[in-house]
Amino acid sequence: MENILEVNDLHVSFHTYAGEVKSVRGVNFTVKKGETVAIVGESGCGKSVTAQTIMQLLPQPPAVYKQGSIIFNGQDLLVKSEKEMQKIRGNEVGMIFQDPMTTLNPTMKVGDQIAESLIKHQGLSRGDAHKRAVEILRMVGIPQPDKRAKQYPHEFSGGMRQRGMIAIALACAPKLLIADEPTTALDVTIQAQILELMKELQNQTGTSIILITHDLGVVADMCDRVVVMYAGQVIETGTVDEIFYKPQHPYTKGLLKSVPRLDMNKHEPLHPIIGTPPDLLNPPVGCPFFARCEHAMEVCRSHDPALEDRGGGHLAACWLHHPMAKMAQAK
C-alpha cells in the first residue's frame, strides 16, 4: 500500500531563555493510505510537536525546523510557504485538537466555522456552504443540526463540541486526519461514541488517521500500527499486535505493565516506570531511557542505539538486541 505521509529524520527545537530545547530528535515514520497510526508516549516526548510540525502550526521563532523532511502526497511540507500551507491545512490535512473549547472560535456560530473552510477551499457559495455544514453536522451525529449550526460553541456540551471539531476537520474530506488526544476531556461513554464515529467516517471516506493518545486501550481498538516515542525520538514501531504481544523495547514493556487490565487480580499492583524523562535542554548522549531502564548496560550510557528491524518491519532501538548483549545474558 502506498504511503501518504513520510516523516524522515525530523529535528525540531525551541529557542528559549534557558537554551535550546531539542523537542524532536530524528523522528522517522510513515502513514499508508487508509491506515490508522497511533503515536504514544509520556507527556513531553514530542508527540504533539511532531503533529503540529506536519501542519506547520509552530511559530518560528521560537520553533526551528532544523533538518528532515515531511513528504505528504509527494510534496515536502517543510519547504512550503505559509500561503501554500493555507491551501493544504483543512483541505488536504485536517486536525482535531485536544480541547475544542479553546480551539473553536467563541465569537462564531459552529455552522459558520464549518462553512468557512468550504467557502475558502472548495469555492462554495455561502448558502451552499451552510447547507453542506448542516449535512456534516448530521453526519457526525449531532441532533437537530439545522438548529445547532446556528449556535455558538458555549451552547454545545463537551461531546458535541468535539463532534463539531471533527465536523470542521472533515468538512473538505482531507486525505490525512491528525487527531491529537481527541477524547482526553470526555467521559468514557462519549469517548466510545467519538472513536466509533471516527472509524465509521474513515470507512466511508478512506481518510488516513494519525492518532496521538495516552490511552493504550484506544490504540488496541482503533489502530493498525503504533509509533512509540520517548524523549523526542521513536524508540519502537510496529503493528498493534507486535507492540502489544511482542514489545521489543523496555520502555514499551513498561508502558504496557502500567496499564490496568480486566484479567488482573484485584490485589495485583500496577508497575509504574520509576523516574522521569530526561531534560531535553541537555539530552543524554546515549540511550535516552538509560537512567530508568532496569536492563541498562554501560554501552547504553554512551551510545544511542539505532532503530533496527526485529522482523517484518517491527523496529526497535535497544542494545539488548545486539549479539554481544545476548551472549552476555546467556552467560
Side-chain angles (χ1 to χ4, degrees):
M1 198 180 298
E2 186 182 349
N3 292 334
I4 194 167
L5 181 75
E6 298 177 11
V7 178
N8 303 309
D9 194 28
L10 182 64
H11 291 253
V12 182
S13 292
F14 292 89
H15 289 302
T16 69
Y17 290 114
E20 180 185 351
V21 179
K22 299 175 182 178
S23 294
V24 174
R25 306 184 297 138
V27 163
N28 295 275
F29 67 89
T30 62
V31 181
K32 299 182 186 301
K33 289 185 176 180
E35 183 180 43
T36 302
V37 174
I39 303 180
V40 302
E42 290 171 283
S43 295
C45 72
K47 306 185 301 295
S48 293
V49 171
T50 299
Q52 290 179 41
T53 302
I54 294 170
M55 297 285 283
Q56 281 206 43
L57 292 174
L58 300 173
Q60 302 175 67
V64 179
Y65 304 145
K66 300 195 73 174
Q67 68 182 68
S69 63
I70 299 173
I71 309 300
F72 171 73
N73 250 6
Q75 308 173 74
D76 188 353
L77 299 184
L78 288 185
V79 301
K80 296 286 185 185
S81 66
E82 175 59 23
K83 189 173 182 179
E84 289 173 317
M85 283 303 300
Q86 286 178 7
K87 295 178 182 177
I88 293 172
R89 291 191 206 110
N91 187 29
E92 297 186 65
V93 184
M95 188 162 183
I96 304 169
F97 296 90
Q98 290 187 35
D99 185 1
M101 198 59 202
T102 58
T103 306
L104 293 170
N105 188 333
T107 68
M108 287 180 67
K109 295 173 183 177
V110 173
D112 290 339
Q113 296 188 51
I114 300 170
E116 187 177 42
S117 62
L118 293 167
I119 294 168
K120 179 176 181 178
H121 295 301
Q122 298 192 352
L124 298 185
S125 67
R126 187 162 295 278
D128 288 342
H130 277 277
K131 288 178 184 176
R132 179 62 182 151
V134 171
E135 291 174 14
I136 294 169
L137 286 174
R138 182 178 290 111
M139 182 177 72
V140 298
I142 289 185
Q144 298 179 289
D146 298 44
K147 174 185 174 184
R148 294 297 186 178
K150 298 172 185 175
Q151 293 182 329
Y152 292 91
H154 72 269
E155 298 178 271
F156 279 39
S157 67
M160 286 174 61
R161 281 196 292 269
Q162 196 64 285
R163 289 172 186 267
M165 275 284 299
I166 293 173
I168 293 170
L170 292 175
C172 296
K175 297 179 177 70
L176 176 66
L177 178 65
I178 302 172
D180 189 355
E181 302 192 37
T183 61
T184 297
L186 305 176
D187 62 63
V188 176
T189 305
I190 303 300
Q191 279 187 33
Q193 292 175 6
I194 295 296
L195 294 171
E196 189 61 34
L197 169 64
M198 288 175 64
K199 285 196 287 187
E200 287 176 9
L201 294 174
Q202 183 183 40
N203 291 334
Q204 292 172 20
T205 63
T207 300
S208 302
I209 297 176
I210 296 175
L211 177 64
I212 298 171
T213 183
H214 291 281
D215 193 332
L216 294 178
V218 170
V219 173
D221 179 56
M222 189 169 175
C223 299
D224 301 303
R225 286 191 302 118
V226 185
V227 175
V228 183
M229 288 188 67
Y230 185 78
Q233 296 179 327
V234 174
I235 52 94
E236 186 168 0
T237 179
T239 65
V240 168
D241 285 347
E242 287 169 342
I243 295 299
F244 277 80
Y245 297 110
K246 296 179 181 177
Q248 299 292 309
H249 196 284
Y251 177 66
T252 308
K253 294 176 182 177
L255 286 178
L256 293 169
K257 286 180 182 177
S258 64
V259 176
R261 303 187 315 274
L262 290 175
D263 61 349
M264 288 178 66
N265 185 298
K266 65 179 180 180
H267 300 297
E268 184 181 344
L270 292 175
H271 300 280
I273 302 174
I274 305 301
T276 57
D279 182 1
L280 294 184
L281 273 168
N282 185 27
V285 176
C287 174
F289 193 58
F290 169 80
R292 306 172 72 186
C293 182
E294 59 184 16
H295 305 290
M297 302 174 287
E298 192 56 37
V299 67
C300 305
R301 184 195 300 273
S302 55
H303 293 81
D304 194 4
L307 271 175
E308 294 186 350
D309 198 329
R310 306 308 310 156
H314 183 184
L315 307 178
C318 184
W319 287 115
L320 287 173
H321 302 298
H322 193 278
M324 292 183 68
K326 291 180 180 179
M327 287 170 58
Q329 288 174 341
K331 292 178 182 179

